[in-house]
Amino acid sequence: MTFSENIARLRPSATVAVSTLARKLAAEGRDIINLGAGEPDFDTPEWVSAAAIDGIRAGRTRYTPSAGLPELRTAAARYMTAGTAYPADGARVVVSAGAKQSLFNACFCLFGPGDEVLIGSPYWTSYPEMVTLARAEPVPVAGSENLDFLLTPEDLDGVATPRTRGLILSTPSNPTGAVYSKDQLGAIAGWAREHGVTLISDEIYQEIHFGDEGGKAPGALDLDPETVGDLVVTNGMSKAYAMTGWRVGFSYTTPELASKMSAFQSHVSLNAATPSQVAALEALTRSDDAARDKARMLAAFRRRRDLVARLFDELLPGCPYILPGGAFYLYFRVDGAFNDKLTCANDVCARILEESGVAIVPGEAFGDTRFARMSTASSDEEIEAGVRRMAAVLGG
Ligand code: PMP
Ligand code: GLU
């Protein structure tokens, strides 16, 4: 069988692959600590699951409109624009099977052959693949390491060409946990507007934010709309609501692009699963219960961030890391362990898995072979045991 050019360069998701391998090894009886894919270890709040079960019993088991249940589109618009100057208009939202599909919809509808798309590096592993699937060219661009790789307009000036059509970034970042301030994001959005480039701001970790002032991380919708050009913001239920398996994400953009994305989705998957949409609607509208449960999970993510930083300071001084301001990852250097046999992060992570049973994701997945990423969305005990085992392999 021959395959189409569309997938000539396609590679499976490395973050998903690490976790799949870890589960397989554990099923074979190996003692594995899986710090691979980032997925909250909490169960979905019971009252959210109950809403879906009630919905199924009440017959909410049929197709919905492609862009999602109208009341969910409105609730998502309110969720994303609360406290901002952007309109809480459901016509700007498309509900998809996870933010992953929202991002793919956006890439496919916006970019095509001959287009270049800048990608803030280190990047979430799926962005370059999505751009490539749209037959456009991904162009990774790294900020400076002293700024935790956050981009500045000067970084973008160095790589933009007349073919640059888009810029994708995540804040808080996966994999680094770095968070753009409102001013930093404003400078990037201003640059994008000036250059006629569509900004895709992936804000799925917006509520997993450790800022002293509390509250969500700054997002592109917090900016003055007059100063922002073409924009797509993506978010979803997976992380802050511990709803990864439900597959509900959403995008916020202009009504025109939203209707293109909806038309595209109508041919691909049609709609996010209806019971999942019912659950998401409950989660977004029962504010008091949601606030309580999100605060509980956020407190755990913050405690684990502090724990992992303390453990690294103590046990792995040879592995400098970026102190995360949000999300639930630690991104750290492993190039101190390079030698004749271990020449890249892939080698180091394979050695760690082999010798200590700890699964982490090599930096190749995020565009930098000097680094590795561990998830901190596991129990405190697993995190502590995982770091201790890694230190035994890497030798502190
Ligand atoms: N963006 C980033 C940066 C992520 O880490 C993830 C996690 N899978 C997603 C988007 C997509 O999340 P989901 O499809 O579960 O909504
Ligand atoms: N987003 C998570 C991660 O980066 C889950 C896996 C994935 O979809 O990439 O690990």
Side-chain angles (χ1 to χ4, degrees), residues 38 97-101 103 124 127 170 172 174 202 204-205 235-239 244 247-249 329 373:
K100 199 171 252 189
Q101 190 183 17
L103 286 158
W124 180 45
Y127 302 147
S170 61
N174 178 1
D202 178 356
I204 188 125
Y205 296 100
N235 208 320
M237 307 305 295
S238 284
K239 314 292 175 175
T244 48
R247 311 309 299 128
V248 182
Y329 304 101
R373 185 197 81 175

Side-chain angles (χ1 to χ4, degrees), residues 13 15-16 36-39 100 124-126 174 205 239 329 361 366 373:
S13 165
T15 47
V16 175
E39 169 162 34
K100 199 171 252 189
W124 180 45
T125 197
S126 290
N174 178 1
Y205 296 100
K239 314 292 175 175
Y329 304 101
V361 184
F366 314 108
R373 185 197 81 175

